[in-house]
Amino acid sequence: MECRVLSIQSHVVRGYVGNKSASFPLQVLGFEVDSINSVQFSNHTGYSHWKGQVLTADELHVLYEGIKLNNVHHYDYVLTGYTRDTSFLEMVVDIVQELKRANPNLVYVCDPVLGDHGSMYVPQNLYPVYKNKVVPVADIITPNQFEAELLTGKTISTEKDAVEVMDLLHAMGPDTVVITSSDLPPRLGDRFLVSLGSQRHVRPDGSRTTQRVRIEVPKVDAVFVGTGDLFAAMLLAWTHHYPNDLKTACEKTFSVMHHVIQRTISYAHDLAGPGRRPSPPQLELRMVQSKADIEDPAIVTEATVIS
């Protein structure tokens, strides 16, 4: 039975960002993807120049109404990423709620893009919309440490703090939380980055159990655009295949990320030449070339179950 995803994300003509970073790998893994482009840009904003259009909330509503009129609005997942407009974000929430009424088993996967490293890169007025409206209807969220702290009001200084923050996020709504990156000290050395995940389950008797994992991934000395979109899409896919095993889902997800990034770096350095730092065009994610790794990633990062 086919699994259908509604992906509402940005789109660029050149490169892999937003919907392009999500749709191709999901399709490779057998998902049927309907894409609505929240923006349509010539390229991502890491370049010196870009041109394009931004979809309004009203335009999103018109597109969704067209899907409904044809009775093809039956989805198993909704996936969202970066947006800068509160009314657009509120329209997304309305759509998710309507789709959940039609299918109570629908899973909403949200990357709550707010900022990083202590500063926001979206307007401040998006924060209360995410906290009060988006996160409560989400089932899976993928914040970084800054975003997780912002949404909960609690600082992460230790692993215990991170667990408490993930529990606070669970209490807001989502059953699966993955903090994609943190400033916690890695056990494997400074060349690694610590990520953490937590997944709640309801037992047949109605009681709850929670699986929490820690995973350390190699740092990369380069800036990529689109990795957050790819991560959320892969977490969607692998939690679908391993719904009760966050450890395996995270290992698969992070391993896909590792293979795509390493292949991208290799290509970029070959294009840049010896001693030269790769440019944004050269660092575009090598998604198509990574098709085999997306389908069946060799596990290169192992997760540890924590209390």
Side-chain angles (χ1 to χ4, degrees), residues 13-307:
V13 175
R14 190 189 194 286
Y16 279 87
V17 177
N19 267 324
K20 288 175 77 174
S21 288
S23 296
F24 173 74
L26 285 172
Q27 288 166 332
V28 163
L29 290 169
F31 293 81
E32 291 293 331
V33 184
D34 291 349
S35 298
I36 294 178
N37 299 329
S38 58
V39 305
Q40 174 91 348
F41 285 171
S42 55
N43 46 269
H44 65 70
T45 56
Y47 286 75
S48 300
H49 310 281
W50 68 92
K51 297 287 185 180
Q53 302 81 38
V54 178
L55 196 72
T56 67
D58 288 342
E59 290 166 338
L60 171 61
H61 179 70
V62 168
L63 290 174
Y64 177 64
E65 286 299 309
I67 294 172
K68 282 206 302 182
L69 286 170
N70 289 292
N71 196 31
V72 291
H73 59 301
H74 308 290
Y75 294 102
D76 302 285
Y77 289 91
V78 174
L79 174 64
T80 65
Y82 177 80
T83 185
R84 293 184 61 85
D85 182 76
T86 54
S87 60
F88 188 93
L89 197 54
E90 288 168 342
M91 180 60 66
V92 168
V93 172
D94 290 343
I95 290 171
V96 169
Q97 289 175 323
E98 182 171 317
L99 291 173
K100 283 194 170 191
R101 285 193 292 270
N103 175 16
N105 294 319
L106 179 137
V107 174
Y108 173 29
V109 182
C110 173
D111 182 6
V113 182
L114 288 164
D116 202 358
H117 303 299
S119 61
M120 293 184 68
Y121 41 64
V122 298
Q124 293 275 351
N125 58 0
L126 261 73
Y127 159 68
V129 180
Y130 270 111
K131 181 175 182 178
N132 300 322
K133 296 183 178 181
V134 179
V135 174
V137 300
D139 301 282
I140 299 174
I141 59 170
T142 58
N144 57 39
Q145 176 173 328
F146 171 75
E147 291 159 345
E149 291 176 334
L150 191 63
L151 290 166
T152 60
K154 180 175 175 58
T155 301
I156 296 174
S157 301
T158 65
E159 186 177 284
K160 181 175 179 291
D161 292 336
V163 169
E164 290 175 2
V165 164
M166 290 189 291
D167 285 346
L168 288 170
L169 290 168
H170 283 318
M172 293 168 68
D175 284 330
T176 301
V177 176
V178 175
I179 299 176
T180 56
S181 61
S182 76
D183 297 325
L184 293 177
R187 295 164 184 162
L188 297 177
D190 292 341
R191 293 184 297 108
F192 287 80
L193 194 67
V194 177
S195 301
L196 301 110
S198 180
Q199 188 175 57
R200 295 189 308 185
H201 300 286
V202 179
R203 295 189 182 100
D205 63 4
S207 62
R208 289 186 179 274
T209 181
T210 303
Q211 183 187 48
R212 302 186 184 94
V213 299
R214 173 188 174 114
I215 192 163
E216 300 196 8
V217 295
K219 286 183 180 178
V220 178
D221 184 23
V223 176
F224 304 94
V225 178
T227 50
D229 308 304
L230 174 60
F231 183 91
M234 290 299 86
L235 189 64
L236 182 161
W238 293 115
T239 53
H240 174 79
H241 290 297
Y242 299 94
N244 300 310
D245 186 356
L246 183 63
K247 180 179 185 295
T248 298
C250 281
E251 288 173 345
K252 294 271 191 180
T253 298
F254 279 101
S255 293
V256 169
M257 299 300 298
H258 173 85
H259 294 305
V260 172
I261 287 171
Q262 290 303 316
R263 183 168 287 103
T264 300
I265 290 173
S266 178
Y267 271 75
H269 282 299
D270 287 345
L271 290 170
R276 293 187 176 183
R277 195 169 184 85
S279 65
Q282 292 165 341
L283 286 168
E284 294 284 8
L285 297 178
R286 299 291 163 172
M287 207 78 77
V288 173
Q289 296 87 344
S290 304
K291 176 177 176 292
D293 290 316
I294 292 168
E295 289 178 299
D296 186 20
I299 302 302
V300 293
T301 51
E302 293 190 5
T304 303
V305 176
I306 59 176
S307 58

